[in-house]
């Protein structure tokens, strides 16, 4: 782990900003403790999710995710992702209306889902707060206005909570829980249970991140890597399986508002550090979300011309 910092009220001093920036540059990942999100809330959310994942497949599929409905259930579907993996996931909106429609699709009138809904909304609100705090410290650490990154992350953004469930796998050496990938968004805030399985690619080697239920793992996504003019790294990671224990991760993806034009702050651009990307919007960027080279589309640097 690059850095286990303390992001809490009143301790966002220069040292924390410096360490966070160093970790974002070197590892693209860091841990956050002292975050004021209660362990009880996390445990309640995991219990709700376990109950959902234990439902019969036909019932889970009633809440299936489609091209049009982004809140819903996915079981390694090739309709959404080209890779195959040993996991299932549910994508939950931080918008109460979308969330309610999902619960109604799954449970109709048979279940009082209001407690679940309240916990999901409490958790996504807590994640929103933690994301804002983290983005503001990262901006300050780069010498920017504290609001520089946060201004793109507002209530109307399509930020999403993805809960991954990895059942025990009979052949953990043959199939991954989640294939190697980079996250496209601004940042991701991940909580993994005590089983472990998250790995990040560092200098060509997979490095496991030890689970600690009291720590959130934050990683830099493509958008923040681009906005930082490539100071921060959006790093390849994956989840591996094991043959004995099911595993769960709670993953909050912090996404910019669709039509906001994302640009590199002027302070990060000078003659030695020309802007590496042209302005773009999330709406455009997400069209190529399953393409690994998606950042190259916005690359502003010409191929080097070799002259004799
Ligand atoms: O389950 C994990 O630890 C990794 C999840 C992940 O990378 C993701 O959902 O984007
Ligand atoms: Fe990820």
């Amino acid at each position: 782990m690059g850095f286990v910092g303390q992001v809490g009220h009143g301790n966002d001093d220069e040292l924390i900003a410096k360490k966070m920036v160093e970790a974002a540059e070197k590892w693209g990942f860091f841990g956050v403790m002292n975050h004021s999100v209660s362990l009880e809330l996390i445990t309640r959310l995991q219990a709700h999710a376990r109950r959902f994942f234990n439902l019969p497949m036909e019932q889970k599929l009633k809440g299936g995710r489609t091209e049009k409905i982004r809140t819903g259930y996915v079981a390694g579907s090739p309709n959404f992702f080209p890779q195959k993996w040993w996991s299932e996931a549910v994508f939950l909106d931080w918008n109460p209306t979308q969330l309610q429609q999902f619960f109604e699709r799954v449970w109709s009138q048979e279940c009082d889902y209001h407690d679940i809904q309240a916990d999901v909304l409490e958790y996504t609100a807590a994640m929103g707060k933690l994301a804002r705090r983290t983005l503001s410290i990262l901006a300050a650490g780069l010498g920017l206005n504290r609001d520089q990154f946060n201004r793109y992350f507002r209530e109307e953004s399509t930020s999403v909570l993805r809960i991954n469930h990895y059942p025990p796998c009979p052949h953990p050496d043959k199939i991954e829980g989640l294939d190697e990938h980079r996250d496209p968004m601004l940042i991701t805030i991940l909580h993994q249970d005590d089983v472990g399985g998250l790995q990040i690619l560092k200098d060509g080697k997979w490095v496991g991140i030890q689970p600690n239920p009291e720590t959130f793992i934050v990683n830099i996504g493509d958008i923040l890597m681009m906005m930082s003019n490539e100071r921060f790294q959006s790093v390849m990671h994956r989840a591996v399986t094991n043959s004995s224990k099911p595993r769960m991760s709670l993953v909050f993806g912090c996404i910019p508002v669709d039509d906001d034009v994302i640009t590199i702050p002027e302070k990060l651009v000078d003659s030695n550090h020309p802007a590496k990307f042209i302005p773009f919007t999330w709406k455009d960027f997400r069209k190529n979300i399953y393409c690994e080279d998606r950042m190259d589309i916005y690359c502003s640097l010409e191929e080097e011309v070799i002259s004799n």
Side-chain angles (χ1 to χ4, degrees):
M1 171 66 52
F3 157 64
V4 175
Q6 301 192 329
V7 182
H9 290 283
N11 55 10
D12 56 327
D13 55 21
E14 278 180 27
L15 184 66
I16 287 181
K18 187 169 170 282
K19 286 196 162 186
M20 214 185 253
V21 164
E22 274 170 18
E25 289 176 337
K26 192 172 161 206
W27 294 81
F29 274 73
F30 50 89
V32 176
M33 298 166 76
N34 280 12
H35 42 65
S36 80
V37 183
S38 84
L39 210 49
E40 286 84 46
L41 175 61
I42 296 170
T43 309
R44 286 204 306 274
L45 195 59
Q46 288 168 329
H48 296 317
R50 211 166 289 124
R51 226 177 101 205
F52 172 78
F53 288 125
N54 283 337
L55 291 173
M57 185 53 93
E58 310 82 75
Q59 193 170 351
K60 287 190 276 192
L61 286 174
K62 284 189 192 167
R65 197 175 193 227
T66 67
E67 294 283 341
K68 293 216 172 80
I69 310 173
R70 61 168 199 255
T71 304
Y73 172 74
V74 185
S77 162
N79 292 337
F80 287 97
F81 304 97
Q83 309 93 334
K84 292 195 180 71
W85 63 70
W86 194 267
S87 64
E88 53 184 346
V90 62
F91 289 75
L92 298 170
D93 213 279
W94 69 343
N95 167 328
T97 316
Q98 294 263 347
L99 207 51
Q100 184 167 342
Q101 285 167 0
F102 166 73
F103 292 130
E104 284 170 0
R105 282 193 291 141
V106 176
W107 281 294
S108 334
Q109 308 298 322
E110 301 154 26
C111 160
D112 181 3
Y113 50 75
H114 290 94
D115 283 354
I116 311 177
Q117 183 170 19
D119 285 338
V120 172
L121 290 173
E122 189 180 338
Y123 187 80
T124 49
M127 288 301 104
K129 210 166 145 198
L130 187 57
R132 281 201 183 86
R133 188 118 183 99
T134 308
L135 287 170
S136 108
I137 295 176
L138 284 169
L142 288 177
L144 305 169
N145 187 317
R146 281 186 169 271
D147 181 43
Q148 187 74 45
F149 301 138
N150 266 327
R151 69 180 65 156
Y152 295 93
F153 170 54
R154 303 191 302 277
E155 292 290 306
E156 64 268 40
S157 98
T158 52
S159 291
V160 71
L161 170 65
R162 167 182 179 152
I163 305 186
N164 295 307
H165 178 233
Y166 306 89
C169 173
H171 296 289
D173 51 327
K174 295 213 174 83
I175 183 160
E176 274 152 26
L178 201 57
D179 247 14
E180 60 183 61
H181 65 280
R182 293 186 323 262
D183 293 343
M185 44 283 276
L186 281 161
I187 53 172
T188 303
I189 305 181
L190 180 146
H191 180 275
Q192 59 172 342
D193 64 18
D194 56 3
V195 176
L198 173 63
Q199 298 184 338
I200 67 177
L201 195 62
K202 175 76 178 150
D203 302 328
K205 290 207 177 93
W206 288 107
V207 181
I209 302 221
Q210 291 305 316
N212 176 348
E214 297 197 3
T215 301
F216 283 102
I217 312 290
V218 176
N219 67 290
I220 305 295
D222 290 357
I223 301 286
L224 199 58
M225 172 167 168
M226 294 160 87
M227 280 176 89
S228 71
N229 209 12
E230 269 187 21
R231 286 267 305 265
F232 296 159
Q233 301 305 312
S234 171
V235 168
M236 250 339 163
H237 55 283
R238 66 179 185 183
V240 293
T241 51
N242 73 81
S243 57
S244 55
K245 284 186 173 172
R247 171 172 182 264
M248 202 183 285
S249 61
L250 314 173
V251 183
F252 181 75
C254 170
I255 292 175
V257 171
D258 260 9
D259 290 314
D260 282 6
V261 179
I262 296 168
T263 53
I264 300 173
E266 274 174 27
K267 274 196 177 171
L268 301 181
V269 178
D270 60 33
S271 53
N272 291 325
H273 307 92
K276 295 194 174 174
F277 301 97
I278 56 172
F280 63 99
T281 61
W282 169 253
K283 196 174 178 180
D284 227 29
F285 189 80
R286 68 174 146 82
K287 288 184 192 147
N288 297 299
I289 213 151
Y290 302 121
C291 162
E292 215 174 86
D293 301 331
R294 59 197 174 228
M295 280 196 265
D296 295 352
I297 299 169
Y298 304 98
C299 190
S300 63
L301 303 181
E302 300 280 320
E303 299 239 325
E304 212 171 296
V305 180
I306 303 167
S307 54
N308 320 313

